[in-house]
Amino acid sequence: MIKPCRLAQNLHLAITLRGILWGVTIFEAFILGLLEGLTEFLPISSTGHLTLAAHLLRLNIENDPFIKSFIIVIQLGAILAVLALYFRRFLRDMEVWKRIIVAFIPTGILGFLLADVIEKVFLGNDLIVVVNLIGVGVLLLFVDRWLQHHKRYDDVNQMPVPQAVLIGLFQAVAMMPGVSRSGATIVGGMALGMSRKAAAEFSFILAVPTMLSATGFSLLRNLDEFKADSWGLLAVGFFTAFVAALLTVRWLLGFVSRNSFVPFAIYRIVIGVVYAVFFLR
C-alpha cells in the first residue's frame, strides 16, 4: 500500500514531468481552457488573458511552440459551443452565410499572409497586449456611448452584405493579441449601425470560420509539437472551453439586451494597467 506522503510525492513528480515534456499540466490545461471559454466571446481579449495566465502559471509562452499551439487549438471548444447554439441558423439562413463569407475574406487573406508574424512576433508580446487592452477599452467606451444612438440594424440580416467586408477588416486587426476578436467585430458592427445584440450575435457567428481556419492552420504547421500523450491535455482544454463558452454566449446575449458594454471597457482598461505594472519590463 502506498503511503499518502509517497502518493503526493509521486503525483508532484508526475505533474512536474508533464510540465517538462509537454509544457503544461492537466490543471494548467483546465485553467487555460476555462479562460478561453469565458473570454473568447466577451470583448475583453481571450489571447490577452491567456498570455497573462501563462505568466502567472510560469509557462514559457514566448518560446514554447507547443503552448502557443495549445492556446490556438483549444479555441475549437469555443467554436463548437457556437455551432451548438446556432446550428439551425447555420443550416437554414442563407442570408447570414452571405455576410459570413464576405466578412471572412479579408481576415482569411491577411491571416494566411501574416501567420508567421502572428505566432512568432505578436503572440506572447507583453507590450502589444497591454497597449491593445487599454486602447480598445477606451475605444469601446466611445462606441458604446455615442454610436448606439445611431443604430439602424437590429438583426444581422438587415445589414447590407457589402458592409460585412468592413467588419471583416475590423476582425483582421484582432490578429494582434490584446485587441479581442469579439471586441473588434462588435465595435465594427456598432460603428456600421448594428444594435449591441446584433453586433454581438454576428461576432459569435463569424467566429466559426475564422477560428476553424486559424486552428486548422496552426495544427498543420505545428503537428510535430504534439506528442501522443499531449492530445489528452488538448482534450481537457477543449472540453473545458466548450462548456465555459456555451454558458458565456447565452449569458452575454441576455446581458447586452439590457445593458451596455461599458463594464467590459472599464475592465479592459483596469486589467491592462495591472498587466503593465506587474509584467512589463
Side-chain angles (χ1 to χ4, degrees):
M1 183 175 179
I2 301 176
K3 295 182 179 180
C5 60
R6 177 63 59 84
L7 181 62
Q9 290 174 352
N10 291 341
L11 181 60
H12 176 74
L13 176 61
I15 290 175
T16 302
L17 286 174
R18 287 194 199 100
I20 294 172
L21 296 174
W22 302 332
V24 294
T25 65
I26 291 177
F27 172 73
E28 290 161 350
F30 170 79
I31 293 298
L32 294 175
L34 182 64
L35 269 178
E36 165 61 28
L38 291 175
T39 60
E40 180 60 49
F41 299 108
L42 298 178
I44 57 176
S45 177
S46 60
T47 307
H49 280 75
L50 289 169
T51 305
L52 177 59
H55 282 304
L56 294 173
L57 295 171
R58 297 187 178 182
L59 300 175
N60 189 13
I61 188 173
E62 292 89 351
N63 303 308
D64 191 327
F66 171 75
I67 295 175
K68 288 186 176 183
S69 296
F70 178 88
I71 286 174
I72 294 173
V73 170
I74 60 174
Q75 293 175 348
L76 282 170
I79 296 170
L80 186 60
V82 173
L83 286 172
L85 289 171
Y86 288 94
F87 181 72
R88 292 183 180 178
R89 188 160 193 178
F90 278 119
L91 284 180
R92 301 175 182 177
D93 195 339
M94 290 299 103
E95 287 300 314
V96 80
W97 269 110
K98 293 178 185 177
R99 290 157 179 80
I100 289 173
I101 293 170
V102 169
F104 174 70
I105 290 172
T107 305
I109 294 173
L110 291 173
F112 178 77
L113 294 175
L114 300 175
D116 283 333
V117 177
I118 294 167
E119 288 197 12
K120 295 178 181 178
V121 179
F122 290 164
L123 195 59
N125 188 306
D126 293 328
L127 180 60
I128 289 176
V129 171
V130 168
V131 170
N132 288 331
L133 277 171
I134 297 174
V136 176
V138 173
L139 181 62
L140 191 58
L141 279 175
F142 169 80
V143 168
D144 189 86
R145 180 171 181 179
W146 296 105
L147 297 185
Q148 267 301 289
H149 299 297
H150 306 287
K151 66 178 181 180
R152 302 188 300 277
Y153 315 123
D154 289 316
D155 185 82
V156 172
N157 290 349
Q158 293 176 354
M159 178 185 63
V161 174
Q163 289 191 8
V165 175
L166 298 176
I167 295 180
L169 290 173
F170 272 90
Q171 179 175 249
V173 176
M175 289 187 290
M176 290 190 295
V179 171
S180 169
R181 191 208 58 80
S182 59
T185 50
I186 287 171
V187 167
M190 291 174 65
L192 293 172
M194 300 177 78
S195 66
R196 293 188 187 103
K197 185 176 180 181
E201 199 163 42
F202 189 59
S203 175
F204 301 156
I205 296 170
L206 183 57
V208 174
T210 303
M211 294 163 65
L212 272 176
S213 60
T215 302
F217 191 56
S218 179
L219 271 174
L220 289 174
R221 284 162 52 88
N222 301 295
L223 199 58
D224 293 340
E225 301 298 333
F226 297 105
K227 300 176 178 65
D229 293 332
S230 64
W231 292 99
L233 292 170
L234 287 173
V236 171
F238 176 93
F239 181 74
T240 306
F242 168 75
V243 174
L246 196 67
L247 297 174
T248 301
V249 169
R250 286 181 169 175
W251 172 81
L252 183 61
L253 283 177
F255 179 86
V256 298
S257 298
R258 303 182 300 272
N259 303 279
S260 73
F261 285 112
V262 170
F264 300 111
I266 295 173
Y267 174 80
R268 286 183 65 102
I269 295 169
V270 171
I271 202 73
V273 171
V274 171
Y275 197 132
V277 170
F278 287 98
F279 295 106
L280 274 188
R281 295 291 182 267

